[in-house]
Amino acid sequence: MGDMATNSYAGVKNSVAEPSHDGEFSCSLKELCSLMELRGTEGVQKIQESYVDVNGLCNRLKSSPIDGLSGYPADIDKRKLVFGQNLIPPKKPKTFLQLVWEALQDVTLIILEVAAIVSLGLSFYRPPESEGTNCGKGTGGVEDEGEAEAGWIEGAAILLSVICVVLVTAFNDWSKEKQFRGLQSRIEQEQKFTVVRSGQVIQIPVAEIVVGDIAQIKYGDLLPADGILIQGNDLRIDESSLTGESDHVKKTLEKDPMLLSGTHVMEGSGKMLVTAIGVNSQTGIIFTLLGAGEEDEDEEKEEKKKQDGCVDNKKKAKAQDGAAMEMQPLNTEETRDSEEKRKANLPKKEKSVLQGKLTKLAVQIGKAGHGAVCGLWFGYSIGLPWEQTCTPVYIQFFVKFFIIGVTVLVVAVPEGLPLAVTISLAYSVKKMMKDNNLVRHLDACETMGNATAICSDKTGTLTMNRMTVVQVYIADKHYRRVPEPEVIPATIMDLLLLGISVNCAYTTKIMPMEKEGGLPRQVGNKTECALLGFLLDLKKDYQAVRNEIPEEKLYKVYTFNSVRKSMSTVLKNADGSFRMFSKGASEILLKKCYKILTASGEAKVFRPRDRDDMVKKVIEPMASEGLRTICLAYRDFPAKHGEPDWENESDILTSLTCVCVVGIEDPVRSEVPDAIKKCQRAGITVRMVTGDNINTARAIATKCGILQPGDDFLCLEGKEFNRRIRNEKGEIEQERIDRIWPKLRVLARSSPTDKHTLVKGIIDSTISEQRQVVAVTGDGTNDGPALKKADVGFAMGIAGTDVAKEASDIILTDDNFTSIVKAVMWGRNVYDSISKFLQFQLTVNVVAVIVAFTGACITQDSPLKAVQMLWVNLIMDTFASLALATEPPTESLLLRKPYGRNKPLISRTMMKNILGHGVYQLTIIFTLLFAGEKMFDIDSGRNAPLHAPPSEHYTIVFNTFVLMQLFNEINARKIHGERNVFDGIFNNMIFCTIVFGTFVIQIVIVQFGGKPFSCVGLTIDQWLWCVFLGFGCLLWGQVISSIPTSHLKFLKTAGHGTQKEEIPDEELEDMEDLDEIDHAERELRRGQILWFRGLNRIQTQIRVVNAFRNSLSPYEGLEKPESRTSIHNFMTHPEFRIEDSEPHIPLIDDTDAEDEGPTKRNATPTPPPPPSPSSNQNNNAVDSGIHLFIDASIPATPLAPVSPMHSLETSL
């Protein structure tokens, strides 16, 4: 065993060296590690051989099983030094330079850079004097020396603009990553664990746990460290995260006391001695084997070693006849198979609605841009006569057109879209923290805006989760308020005191109030707190009983779970007899009672008809007032019968004697009815799913407003629900669920599987034209499946178990239903922000592309220069996305129905605005372009020579264009046709700052930009005209909103969601291996092919043009063999075949998923890595399952991920 231990630590960094002071702790790190690798009986043997029992190990670790550690800082620090800390070092974030390098991979930018460098090179070339004259005529006039000198400026300015764009993109990625890490650390800090130090039970952050701590574990905990059980009640652990076995493992001191980090407590409670933490715990070892704490540079080599180590470990483990097989569960064949099977059965989950729509839209815009650019080059090329001697000048000209063409493409491709999405989501997530929503997965925030149904728990979400006993049936009498202690017979009182004190978890207590006049603090399970509070009301002290009978003396405990719906504790008496106390749901426990205590304190027989009477006269009246009813009972096992078989639960939990029935009130939160009204007005159906009795549930649902008097809605119990949805064979049928769910409002006495069935049934339903988007709240361990299945899972931050939080998308830090309504508001706001940005961006796109295109065809020169276009691109992409994506939400967002999956991103109203403003802007620009010189009495800027100085004419065109965009940005704040575009503008200071800032920079560019920006300073008059024409946008906006959209039937919408039916069968087959249908990925596959096709078309057109010229030119076309070596040309002629090949299955070294925590829902796909000089030169193509086989005859250059939407994919 010893060598097994040493081997498994060969690859583990950060593990602390052997402690030099063995005098301190007579137990070394290595010993503990080898101990924790054993399982079951082997572990028990090893503990007995080495330490006699667990207490012996406690002594060696200088810890006490009752009082825990002393808690002195010096002792804690020493333990951290010797045994390490409870942290697993995170992966290093990407450096800013790496992010810059990734931003540079954008294809359009690469083309621009190449073009700019060519332009720079050519600007230093001088043609021989004599022929220069003729060439000049062909190119619109002769340039003089001074202008020729300044020819390099344009190339340099483009390079500078590219650098700006790259830095801005990299900075955004960097801040996004930083925010994401901040969020992760916030989630981690929230996690606390209960330990015993110097006899006090305290909660400490998980990172503070040290070896030797005595930790209290209970139902729903995620174990933060490895340890050995000291005392346990009915403890069952789900170890599937380590072993892949889904069965719950029973933990006892005699058979299997080994507890492992990262596993979940599914039932019971207990105490454990912490023996391994951080990188030395079982989870830590796996993380380290996965390289979570690795430096990127050594990763390749390290991984190899580790993988080999891992294999050796396996061989040795097998030699140890499977002793430590669980040590490397991650790549065992069996687990992989079972995973595959599980995945095969899961229905495909669709990616975020917005993501699918955006990608589709981006591809549509990209197509349009490509078309425009092809036409542009064609227009430029045809207009030139051809003189052999002038070739260099023509090349220079062609490069200039090429730069303008590519710039149009840059303007046309909305790379600001992913930026807007990211900023909007990041901003919302930050603000949602203040509204008590801790978002774990970014896209959940946006999905929430589309929610159509919310399935909510009752306790704690709709109610205050502060329980008190308000009614009681005891000694044959129903008291409407808690009775005086004198009226209760002494025998019954003693049974009550002992029964409640020992049969409630010892972690549940009532603490004194924190401030004067406040209520006492309830700690632990709230129902149990109500019972302990009931004892305090009866002037009894439960703590004295607990001191007399500590938890260790309890003979056996059956803890509460969703199947039993009761909890029982057995005490052994001095004479060898046993007494068991039980508490549980009244209608369930009363069925098991055969006697009841009367006013005299004697037990009398309790017949079924007595029980029916009691249900009618006591339980139903309590329940109809919204009270939760709990029955308290006991049973004696005489010594003469010997010890009963405790494992046979059905025999143990019968023949009980009922002591009393209590009614516990949990008042509805005062703000909930209003929040539910808002949801219903916003088109969201609220359903209540609870474990409570149906009458209680119905009463609370009516108080909340989920049920209105006189409504025709269903309230069902779990049993009835199951009977209605299953066929004769007991299988669930979708059409049966479809008959029920539209009317179902309350599901009572439901089990966690019922909740999951309901959620799945609603999501998979096809009866309504929109697919339902379902949000679910949950707090218990067994809510995990439903939370995962839902589109958005909300876990309770206060009452929720670690397991529920792990499975959720959003954590409600105040457990309050109103916070869900806030989440809906923010989700809708994200959607609207993106739409606002699109409306603004597309107007600019349409106008800029048309102006550049027509200008090129008519005047052989673009009115907007490349650098100016890049500035416009910066305004509309980066700045506008910041300004429009940070609009705060308003209550009016809750006045409309959810958009649903098929509603287009760009509605008719928005299309009307885009086209309307486009018409206005184009009219103004063309008027200025062709009549501007007469209006302002200045020289015409048309037909200027190649390196002519900037003209006032074109400066006015550029200035007016930018100012129109600025005023249109204010118009873009409203997308539903509202008239007042200034409404709430000062609530968004970012917006005001950006608009003002852009205006100031524009003044600087025009007045002092000079040659690089092709600008000349303008006079005050000219400036006022430009501002006036820009302001016209606001007035024109009012005209547009007066036209009713309903009359404009011809307007198309754009950016629909993808329907499953639209996906071709062969593509669906390819997707079989994916967990989710990623619409973005589908579009990007098309996008790649499209990109190749687009470039191919351009090349064909150039060939056609060249063929026309062949008569004039001695060259046989311009294409020379060596021109194929540049990146651009390589991409222009890819001879490639597309084959659907095997999907690329990542090996253990190239999966990063593990760092994200086991249940990450791929919310933020990792950006594709920069191309590595490996055999696979095209990362993107492989990721999407397309392999490009490039003919070997072409010299291959390392390729950037080939997709104009590369940046879109990264950000989303």
Side-chain angles (χ1 to χ4, degrees):
M1 189 63 230
D3 76 342
M4 164 78 199
T6 36
N7 183 296
S8 65
Y9 282 84
V12 177
K13 299 199 315 188
N14 309 49
S15 54
V16 184
E18 287 295 355
S20 48
H21 24 244
D22 273 341
E24 299 293 343
F25 307 106
S26 46
C27 185
S28 70
L29 176 67
K30 191 168 162 187
E31 271 179 58
L32 289 175
C33 290
S34 58
L35 172 64
M36 287 322 293
E37 277 168 10
L38 300 172
R39 300 283 178 271
T41 45
E42 291 188 346
V44 179
Q45 280 170 3
K46 175 82 173 157
I47 293 172
Q48 285 167 351
E49 284 164 23
S50 311
Y51 317 105
V52 184
D53 61 3
V54 184
N55 293 350
L57 181 55
C58 281
N59 293 338
R60 286 209 186 180
L61 287 172
K62 301 258 170 38
S63 178
S64 147
I66 311 283
D67 295 334
L69 297 178
S70 62
Y72 294 131
D75 177 45
I76 302 289
D77 292 341
K78 192 178 290 163
R79 286 173 192 273
K80 284 186 181 171
L81 192 71
V82 178
F83 299 110
Q85 290 194 352
N86 198 16
L87 294 169
I88 292 171
K91 200 165 193 173
K92 272 169 71 179
K94 285 190 171 143
T95 61
F96 187 69
L97 284 175
Q98 280 171 312
L99 292 169
V100 167
W101 174 244
E102 274 179 18
L104 277 169
Q105 306 303 308
D106 192 354
V107 180
T108 38
L109 288 183
I110 292 178
I111 296 177
L112 266 186
E113 288 153 28
V114 173
I117 292 166
V118 174
S119 160
L120 264 181
L122 287 172
S123 66
F124 294 116
Y125 172 83
R126 289 282 154 277
E129 284 308 308
S130 55
E131 300 93 334
T133 344
N134 292 342
C135 304
K137 283 179 192 143
T139 53
V142 189
E143 49 180 42
D144 62 45
E145 281 302 299
E147 290 155 14
E149 292 303 310
W152 61 274
I153 291 180
E154 183 156 13
I158 289 177
L159 281 180
L160 201 69
S161 320
V162 168
I163 290 169
C164 277
V165 171
V166 166
L167 288 177
V168 168
T169 314
F171 178 74
N172 277 307
D173 284 347
W174 178 78
S175 56
K176 180 173 73 183
E177 179 127 331
K178 193 164 142 233
Q179 272 180 335
F180 192 70
R181 280 182 185 272
L183 183 67
Q184 288 298 90
S185 65
R186 165 91 192 258
I187 291 172
E188 279 155 23
Q189 282 159 14
E190 298 264 310
Q191 204 187 358
K192 291 205 156 84
F193 211 75
T194 314
V195 296
V196 181
R197 287 196 179 165
S198 56
Q200 293 294 315
V201 178
I202 56 168
Q203 284 213 324
I204 58 171
V206 166
E208 293 299 310
I209 294 176
V210 291
V211 170
D213 257 324
I214 304 296
Q216 289 197 341
I217 55 176
K218 60 181 188 309
Y219 155 84
D221 282 345
L222 174 69
L223 297 185
D226 292 357
I228 292 170
L229 191 64
I230 298 177
Q231 174 262 321
N233 307 323
D234 198 19
L235 195 61
R236 289 174 192 274
I237 306 277
D238 172 12
E239 292 189 348
S240 58
S241 57
L242 282 179
T243 61
E245 292 300 320
S246 55
D247 295 342
H248 298 170
V249 185
K250 198 172 164 95
K251 297 285 177 183
T252 55
L253 285 167
E254 300 74 47
K255 295 209 174 90
D256 183 2
M258 303 309 211
L259 300 169
L260 306 174
S261 58
T263 58
H264 294 127
V265 182
M266 299 311 276
E267 260 182 58
S269 60
K271 281 187 187 171
M272 75 168 186
L273 166 71
V274 175
T275 53
I277 54 176
V279 287
N280 305 314
S281 66
Q282 295 300 303
T283 309
I285 292 167
I286 287 167
F287 264 116
T288 320
L289 285 173
L290 279 170
E294 266 318 317
E295 272 66 70
D296 291 331
E297 296 78 17
D298 329 332
E299 218 161 76
E300 299 296 310
K301 299 171 214 159
E302 288 285 336
E303 290 286 6
K304 264 282 171 284
K305 280 189 213 153
K306 284 191 186 143
Q307 292 263 299
D308 301 345
C310 207
V311 174
D312 295 351
N313 269 347
K314 276 217 183 132
K315 289 180 190 151
K316 287 191 181 156
K318 287 221 171 77
Q320 293 282 344
D321 66 54
M325 197 52 197
E326 282 88 336
M327 163 69 191
Q328 309 82 358
L330 279 162
N331 29 13
T332 56
E333 285 306 314
E334 305 89 299
T335 48
R336 198 171 298 153
D337 288 351
S338 69
E339 273 294 298
E340 305 264 290
K341 277 181 202 138
R342 269 211 351 251
K343 272 194 181 159
N345 300 334
L346 286 175
K348 304 256 186 295
K349 192 166 172 314
E350 298 200 3
K351 267 258 169 74
S352 138
V353 187
L354 186 66
Q355 220 165 314
K357 290 183 183 178
L358 280 179
T359 315
K360 208 162 176 192
L361 190 71
V363 172
Q364 288 167 352
I365 296 173
K367 284 178 188 169
H370 280 123
V373 174
C374 299
L376 206 64
W377 276 334
F378 195 72
Y380 282 148
S381 320
I382 273 183
L384 287 184
W386 194 259
E387 301 269 343
Q388 179 191 342
T389 46
C390 301
T391 307
V393 177
Y394 289 137
I395 292 179
Q396 207 166 338
F397 237 86
F398 193 75
V399 167
K400 182 181 171 186
F401 294 150
F402 178 71
I403 288 176
I404 290 176
V406 174
T407 317
V408 170
L409 187 64
V410 171
V411 174
V413 172
E415 66 276 52
L417 209 53
L419 192 62
V421 176
T422 311
I423 291 174
S424 184
L425 285 175
Y427 171 77
S428 305
V429 166
K430 215 170 180 176
K431 292 286 187 198
M432 281 168 81
M433 292 260 195
K434 291 190 180 131
D435 285 339
N436 304 310
N437 282 291
L438 178 62
V439 182
R440 293 181 72 238
H441 301 142
L442 272 182
D443 56 354
C445 162
E446 168 263 318
T447 312
M448 204 47 222
N450 283 310
T452 54
I454 298 175
C455 295
S456 171
D457 274 355
K458 173 178 79 73
T459 311
T461 315
L462 302 172
T463 59
M464 290 172 58
N465 203 12
R466 187 181 172 85
M467 312 239 183
T468 40
V469 172
V470 289
Q471 295 189 18
V472 55
Y473 178 87
I474 192 167
D476 282 346
K477 191 156 183 220
H478 184 174
Y479 295 93
R480 292 277 164 180
R481 57 165 68 89
V482 178
E484 291 301 312
E486 296 75 53
V487 302
I488 297 173
T491 47
I492 298 185
M493 187 62 106
D494 293 346
L495 279 170
L496 258 189
L497 175 61
L498 185 59
I500 293 177
S501 304
V502 299
N503 193 30
C504 284
Y506 278 40
T507 48
T508 302
K509 334 188 202 358
I510 292 190
M511 313 286 277
M513 60 204 83
E514 280 176 332
K515 50 181 182 285
E516 281 299 308
L519 292 164
R521 267 190 315 140
Q522 297 187 338
V523 178
N525 181 306
K526 297 295 190 274
T527 310
E528 295 184 336
C529 285
L531 293 171
L532 294 176
F534 176 49
L535 285 182
L536 297 178
D537 290 345
L538 294 173
K539 318 273 188 296
K540 295 291 178 203
D541 178 18
Y542 66 88
Q543 198 54 51
V545 179
R546 288 184 172 185
N547 295 343
E548 203 178 306
I549 309 175
E551 205 170 356
E552 293 74 44
K553 285 197 183 166
L554 302 180
Y555 192 78
K556 172 124 188 85
V557 177
Y558 298 96
T559 52
F560 180 89
N561 66 25
S562 55
V563 180
R564 287 191 190 119
K565 291 221 185 280
S566 67
M567 171 178 175
S568 309
T569 303
V570 181
L571 296 177
K572 187 170 186 178
N573 301 328
D575 60 359
S577 65
F578 298 93
R579 174 168 278 180
M580 176 179 79
F581 291 100
S582 296
K583 67 168 192 288
S586 51
E587 61 264 47
I588 291 172
L589 221 53
L590 282 176
K591 286 181 186 155
K592 299 180 178 171
C593 293
Y594 81 125
K595 285 184 177 171
I596 186 165
L597 295 179
T598 59
S600 60
E602 299 301 312
K604 70 164 189 188
V605 178
F606 186 59
R607 286 190 283 290
R609 71 158 182 274
D610 300 335
R611 186 176 66 229
D612 296 343
D613 275 358
M614 187 157 168
V615 167
K616 278 201 185 68
K617 292 186 181 145
V618 178
I619 291 172
E620 282 183 0
M622 281 187 187
S624 61
E625 289 175 39
L627 304 184
R628 167 181 285 191
T629 55
I630 301 283
C631 170
L632 302 174
Y634 75 101
R635 177 182 178 183
D636 285 323
F637 298 93
K640 59 174 187 275
H641 291 240
E643 186 165 343
D645 171 13
W646 299 114
E647 295 308 310
N648 187 350
E649 269 184 60
S650 52
D651 287 0
I652 301 285
L653 205 64
T654 52
S655 318
L656 302 175
T657 305
C658 172
V659 181
C660 70
V661 172
V662 295
I664 296 178
E665 181 183 48
D666 183 8
V668 171
R669 288 174 185 265
S670 55
E671 62 275 28
V672 162
D674 191 39
I676 286 180
K677 215 181 249 114
K678 279 184 190 162
C679 280
Q680 290 163 342
R681 202 174 50 218
I684 302 169
T685 311
V686 183
R687 294 181 174 81
M688 181 162 97
V689 182
T690 174
D692 247 340
N693 156 331
I694 189 156
N695 296 326
T696 311
R698 192 181 282 127
I700 298 277
T702 312
K703 280 183 192 170
C704 291
I706 294 175
L707 292 174
Q708 304 290 344
D711 276 351
D712 166 30
F713 287 134
L714 285 176
C715 297
L716 293 180
E717 282 201 336
K719 271 190 188 145
E720 173 64 8
F721 173 69
N722 271 307
R723 194 183 62 70
R724 290 200 190 184
I725 62 171
R726 292 175 192 273
N727 58 18
E728 299 70 52
K729 296 181 193 158
E731 295 160 347
I732 295 173
E733 284 185 359
Q734 183 62 45
E735 59 265 27
R736 284 170 183 254
I737 299 183
D738 287 346
R739 277 181 228 145
I740 294 176
W741 73 258
K743 292 211 163 174
L744 183 69
R745 288 296 176 272
V746 175
L747 185 58
R749 281 277 175 255
S750 70
S751 68
T753 37
D754 296 342
K755 193 172 188 176
H756 180 255
T757 308
L758 176 67
V759 171
K760 184 175 179 305
I762 297 179
I763 289 179
D764 294 347
S765 169
T766 49
I767 52 171
S768 50
E769 69 276 16
Q770 298 280 6
R771 153 155 140 44
Q772 294 279 313
V773 178
V774 183
V776 166
T777 67
D779 52 7
T781 306
N782 32 29
D783 287 333
L787 286 171
K788 265 201 149 63
K789 176 68 199 167
D791 293 290
V792 183
F794 285 91
M796 300 299 146
I798 304 168
T801 59
D802 296 342
V803 185
K805 288 178 188 172
E806 195 67 19
S808 69
D809 301 297
I810 298 180
I811 295 173
L812 294 178
T813 50
D814 62 346
D815 288 15
N816 192 336
F817 187 82
T818 46
S819 305
I820 302 179
V821 182
K822 295 255 174 61
V824 172
M825 224 157 81
W826 276 106
R828 293 187 172 189
N829 192 49
V830 168
Y831 201 95
D832 278 8
S833 298
I834 308 296
S835 295
K836 288 172 191 174
F837 172 72
L838 272 173
Q839 176 174 311
F840 172 68
Q841 167 135 40
L842 290 177
T843 314
V844 190
N845 272 11
V846 169
V847 175
V849 172
I850 293 180
V851 167
F853 182 73
T854 40
C857 295
I858 299 171
T859 65
Q860 297 293 308
D861 182 13
S862 168
L864 296 173
K865 301 294 180 284
V867 179
Q868 294 174 350
M869 284 220 216
L870 286 173
W871 161 238
V872 169
N873 199 38
L874 196 70
I875 299 179
M876 63 184 216
D877 277 0
T878 313
F879 296 159
S881 56
L882 252 175
L884 292 169
T886 51
E887 288 271 309
T890 56
E891 287 283 331
S892 61
L893 287 166
L894 293 175
L895 297 177
R896 62 171 174 76
K897 299 277 180 273
Y899 281 147
R901 289 185 175 263
N902 322 343
K903 175 130 182 359
L905 257 180
I906 298 174
S907 61
R908 274 226 171 85
T909 312
M910 286 168 64
M911 203 49 115
K912 175 182 78 175
N913 291 345
I914 291 170
L915 294 178
H917 285 295
V919 167
Y920 171 80
Q921 295 188 10
L922 285 172
T923 313
I924 298 287
I925 295 276
F926 283 134
T927 311
L928 287 178
L929 188 57
F930 297 111
E933 70 271 28
K934 297 192 188 73
M935 288 160 58
F936 289 103
D937 191 22
I938 45 176
D939 295 336
S940 165
R942 294 192 298 280
N943 302 325
L946 187 59
H947 293 304
S951 64
E952 276 182 288
H953 183 190
Y954 273 17
T955 307
I956 290 176
V957 172
F958 165 61
N959 198 20
T960 309
F961 179 68
V962 171
L963 291 174
M964 285 196 293
Q965 303 324 323
L966 273 184
F967 283 104
N968 194 28
E969 199 164 336
I970 299 173
N971 271 329
R973 291 184 64 246
K974 301 292 176 204
I975 49 173
H976 298 300
E978 297 92 332
R979 282 206 176 271
N980 181 2
V981 289
F982 292 101
D983 179 31
I985 194 164
F986 293 113
N987 296 343
N988 185 0
M989 285 325 290
I990 303 181
F991 183 88
C992 301
T993 318
I994 285 179
V995 172
F996 183 70
T998 315
F999 186 59
V1000 171
I1001 300 175
Q1002 178 64 15
I1003 294 177
V1004 173
I1005 288 179
V1006 170
Q1007 297 305 97
F1008 311 105
K1011 186 83 195 187
F1013 279 95
S1014 315
C1015 286
V1016 188
L1018 300 178
T1019 64
I1020 292 287
D1021 282 3
Q1022 291 166 337
W1023 262 103
L1024 287 174
W1025 272 107
C1026 292
V1027 172
F1028 171 71
L1029 291 171
F1031 184 74
C1033 273
L1034 290 176
L1035 305 175
W1036 182 248
Q1038 295 302 313
V1039 175
I1040 294 177
S1041 47
S1042 309
I1043 305 171
T1045 316
S1046 48
H1047 292 187
L1048 306 172
K1049 286 278 184 279
F1050 61 89
L1051 284 181
K1052 283 273 187 291
T1053 53
H1056 295 259
T1058 311
Q1059 296 303 298
K1060 225 173 201 160
E1061 304 77 70
E1062 290 175 26
I1063 305 176
D1065 295 345
E1066 60 274 16
E1067 279 198 40
L1068 267 174
E1069 282 161 28
D1070 292 352
M1071 293 179 191
E1072 285 305 301
D1073 318 308
L1074 305 172
D1075 316 14
E1076 340 186 281
I1077 298 177
D1078 181 349
H1079 297 304
E1081 187 64 47
R1082 278 188 57 239
E1083 289 296 350
L1084 283 165
R1085 288 191 193 187
R1086 289 193 198 155
Q1088 283 162 349
I1089 301 167
L1090 192 108
W1091 182 231
F1092 281 123
R1093 276 198 205 135
L1095 285 163
N1096 259 338
R1097 267 187 219 144
I1098 294 167
Q1099 187 226 336
T1100 321
Q1101 281 169 339
I1102 294 168
R1103 279 208 190 122
V1104 172
V1105 174
N1106 291 341
F1108 279 127
R1109 293 197 181 135
N1110 267 352
S1111 50
L1112 302 172
S1113 158
Y1115 291 102
E1116 294 302 311
L1118 260 179
E1119 197 191 9
K1120 305 187 186 64
E1122 58 275 19
S1123 67
R1124 282 195 165 198
T1125 50
S1126 78
I1127 283 191
H1128 168 68
N1129 283 325
F1130 167 62
M1131 284 175 51
T1132 318
H1133 327 253
E1135 280 85 39
F1136 66 107
R1137 304 192 297 284
I1138 292 185
E1139 297 186 2
D1140 281 344
S1141 57
E1142 282 304 297
H1144 162 70
I1145 295 178
L1147 299 165
I1148 209 162
D1149 8 347
D1150 52 27
T1151 31
D1152 295 354
E1154 280 304 312
D1155 317 349
E1156 301 282 326
T1159 58
K1160 198 74 188 135
R1161 275 218 211 136
N1162 305 342
T1164 326
T1166 331
S1172 56
S1174 63
S1175 57
N1176 153 28
Q1177 226 99 41
N1178 180 344
N1179 295 321
N1180 237 28
V1182 175
D1183 289 348
S1184 53
I1186 294 181
H1187 287 241
L1188 302 179
F1189 295 93
I1190 310 236
D1191 281 7
S1193 56
I1194 302 174
T1197 42
L1199 247 193
V1202 180
S1203 150
M1205 268 71 62
H1206 166 56
S1207 52
L1208 178 80
E1209 184 183 40
T1210 356
S1211 299
L1212 280 179

